[in-house]
Amino acid sequence: MTDLAEAGAVPERAEIRDWLRTNVPAGRMVDPESGGPITPAQLEWERTLHDAGYAAVHWPIEHGGRGADLAARMVFQEEYELCGAPPRLNMMGLMLAGPTIMRYGTDEQKTRWLQPILNCDEIWCQGFSEPDAGSDLAGLRTTAVIDGDRMVVNGQKIWTSGATNSQWILALVRTSRDSRPQSGITFVMIDMTTPGIEIRPITQISGATGFCEVFFTDVSVPLDNVMGSIGDGWAVAMNALGHERGAGRRSYVTFLRDLAQIKKFVDGFGLADDLVIQQELGALLAQINTYRHHVGRTVANSDGAHPRPEASYNKLYWSEMTTRLHEVGMRVLGQRPEAARSAELADAITAWQADYWLSRASRIFAGTNQVQKNIISERVLGLPKEPRR
Ligand SMILES: Cc1cc2nc3c(=O)[nH]c(=O)nc-3n(C[C@H](O)[C@H](O)[C@H](O)COP(=O)(O)OP(=O)(O)OC[C@H]3O[C@@H](n4cnc5c(N)ncnc54)[C@H](O)[C@@H]3O)c2cc1C
């Protein structure tokens, strides 16, 4: 561990850049979202980050982070992506489980779970969505019946990213039912090796198996694993989702890299003089720069580490932009289908096609774009609330 990491100081941009340039491993690592098994190289990279104090710069110093506020965290994210560093393995642990445990967990829970998240000994997934409960999350039907000092869970989750590689799932279960659907929901941490849990990967159009169905049959969970109090999990879940949609999720650098990749295709295919393509690339660059400044404004207006409802603009913007970027890229590839056979570009084309499918899902995950528009209209603009059942 470096002296600076020991001191827990928020690192400077130049220092982060130097460290990443020295330490980032060569070659592309598979995105864990694809569902393949975790490789030793991926784990080693996570441990290297941890040992240098870079596993979670946004975590408070007392929990092993650097105490970085949103602005400092964005700097780290930008440098990370500029270096082409590998995709992170434990995003649900670092972004959702960790901050939730810090805010709502008991001292015992913090001691039990935070360190293994940070050093990637335990990987987490998010078990919120169910077949009839996505945007309308309060409609969830997985039940938990209290039995002494344990609860018995029955039901099904769906679209659980990374379930096959996870040791823990943070789950929402229904412990009671009354007239208000948000009441009676409990937020609980469940060990994925508990008997009665069955994971079924879902094969997507790209061939990836990154997300899964998770079935619970009489799964016995200690009440000590409840986060917050029984029946009051809705507030815990809303806080966790705020972290998921926050400004730190995507840096403009990712989009600049995508644009640079399209430009390589354009140059490689001899299309640089195509006026329509030139216009499209110019428009995309303008949008990326707008996004960069918009994120800067969101960060400047945030209260330290916590995103405000305005973060919904960011989610809306980056998901539309990544969709558009990948559509333009696919149009360029479509003009030279024979290029897919060129040895030089083949890997980049295969990766682009896989990313294209994932980009289409970006309007859905982390809260659909229609739901973000509802949040913006109600909570940012103060317009009348949508009618609810
Ligand atoms: C790649 C990917 C990864 C995911 N990973 C996870 C995960 O790890 N864990 C997890 O729990 N979930 C995960 N999800 C699930 C995701 O959170 C849900 O798909 C999402 O919340 C939408 O729910 P749904 O699919 O049930 O669609 P629905 O909620 O049924 O929505 C269908 C359509 O109706 C629209 N709609 C719904 N309600 C409203 C409204 N009030 N106003 C206007 N329009 C509305 C939606 O915008 C959408 O267009 C993932 C999804 C994807 C695509």
Side-chain angles (χ1 to χ4, degrees):
M1 196 180 261
T2 64
D3 291 347
L4 199 93
E6 263 159 11
V10 177
E12 298 288 333
R13 184 186 284 275
E15 182 208 335
I16 298 168
R17 185 174 295 175
D18 284 351
W19 186 87
L20 285 167
R21 292 211 170 138
T22 312
N23 290 282
V24 166
R28 186 179 153 109
M29 284 193 203
V30 180
D31 192 328
E33 296 266 326
S34 68
I38 289 172
T39 63
Q42 286 172 306
L43 271 179
E44 191 184 322
W45 170 239
E46 289 293 336
R47 303 262 150 81
T48 305
L49 281 169
H50 172 263
D51 292 348
Y54 286 124
V57 291
H58 61 292
W59 280 25
I61 292 165
E62 76 255 37
H63 296 306
R66 299 288 194 106
D69 61 9
L70 274 178
R73 181 169 138 197
M74 287 305 293
V75 168
F76 179 79
Q77 196 63 28
E78 284 171 19
E79 292 302 325
Y80 193 89
E81 289 173 18
L82 267 173
C83 270
R88 300 297 303 275
L89 275 188
N90 201 5
M91 288 307 280
M92 292 300 178
L94 296 169
M95 300 287 291
L96 284 184
T100 305
I101 294 163
M102 283 174 220
R103 175 146 184 195
Y104 295 94
T106 61
D107 286 346
E108 290 74 27
Q109 289 171 330
K110 288 176 193 165
T111 306
R112 164 64 188 86
W113 282 315
L114 289 179
Q115 183 57 31
I117 292 176
L118 201 62
N119 64 15
C120 215
D121 271 356
E122 292 179 341
I123 294 179
W124 286 66
C125 60
Q126 175 195 15
F128 285 9
S129 305
E130 298 187 5
D132 289 319
S135 306
D136 186 14
L137 190 56
L140 62 91
R141 288 184 300 193
T142 294
T143 58
V145 176
I146 314 284
D147 180 14
D149 61 357
R150 304 185 76 84
M151 58 169 62
V152 180
V153 179
N154 280 285
Q156 183 201 343
K157 298 291 171 183
I158 193 166
W159 317 128
T160 315
S161 302
T164 47
N165 287 325
S166 297
Q167 282 76 42
W168 288 90
I169 183 167
L170 44 102
L172 290 178
V173 297
R174 186 162 284 293
T175 36
S176 64
R177 190 173 286 282
D178 69 23
S179 55
R180 206 174 148 266
Q182 289 83 359
S183 305
I185 289 174
T186 298
F187 195 112
V188 65
M189 314 311 212
I190 304 179
D191 181 341
M192 292 292 272
T193 60
T194 317
I197 296 184
E198 187 194 347
I199 303 168
R200 293 187 201 157
I202 300 170
T203 304
Q204 296 152 54
I205 195 165
S206 61
T209 51
F211 50 38
C212 307
E213 296 174 289
V214 181
F215 294 85
F216 299 85
T217 308
D218 294 331
V219 174
S220 175
V221 182
L223 290 185
D224 284 346
N225 290 10
V226 169
M227 199 55 38
S229 46
I230 290 170
D232 275 342
W234 188 253
V236 184
M238 291 305 105
N239 183 269
L241 289 177
H243 289 288
E244 190 183 27
R245 290 168 195 166
R249 179 129 184 158
R250 290 285 186 286
S251 158
Y252 75 95
V253 173
T254 316
F255 304 120
L256 280 184
R257 286 170 62 91
D258 288 341
L259 190 59
Q261 182 59 65
I262 301 178
K263 182 75 173 43
K264 277 189 198 153
F265 291 144
V266 167
D267 292 342
F269 299 168
L271 296 170
D273 292 332
D274 186 313
L275 291 180
V276 175
I277 291 177
Q278 283 180 10
Q279 275 182 7
E280 299 223 73
L281 297 193
L284 283 168
L285 182 58
Q287 285 174 21
I288 294 168
N289 279 321
T290 308
Y291 174 72
R292 176 184 184 181
H293 293 298
H294 176 70
V295 171
R297 190 173 60 175
T298 309
V299 168
N301 290 342
S302 71
D303 58 347
H306 298 290
R308 290 156 37 124
E310 286 84 344
S312 287
Y313 283 124
N314 292 2
K315 199 275 153 163
L316 204 54
Y317 202 111
W318 65 249
S319 55
E320 294 298 341
M321 198 168 55
T322 193
T323 308
R324 173 124 195 267
L325 261 164
H326 283 88
E327 280 170 357
V328 171
M330 288 302 270
R331 274 206 296 281
V332 169
L333 293 183
Q335 294 200 28
R336 291 286 186 276
E338 71 280 6
R341 288 194 293 274
S342 96
E344 202 185 322
L345 288 171
D347 283 353
I349 291 173
T350 305
W352 189 269
Q353 284 166 338
D355 288 348
Y356 167 75
W357 292 119
L358 191 61
S359 77
R360 300 198 68 81
S362 68
R363 289 171 172 152
I364 301 170
F365 62 73
T368 71
N369 285 10
Q370 288 86 353
V371 168
Q372 303 307 316
K373 287 177 187 168
N374 288 347
I375 295 173
I376 291 166
S377 74
E378 293 174 18
R379 293 172 57 195
V380 180
L381 303 176
L383 294 173
K385 289 191 184 303
E386 65 164 324
R388 290 193 186 273
R389 283 182 274 140

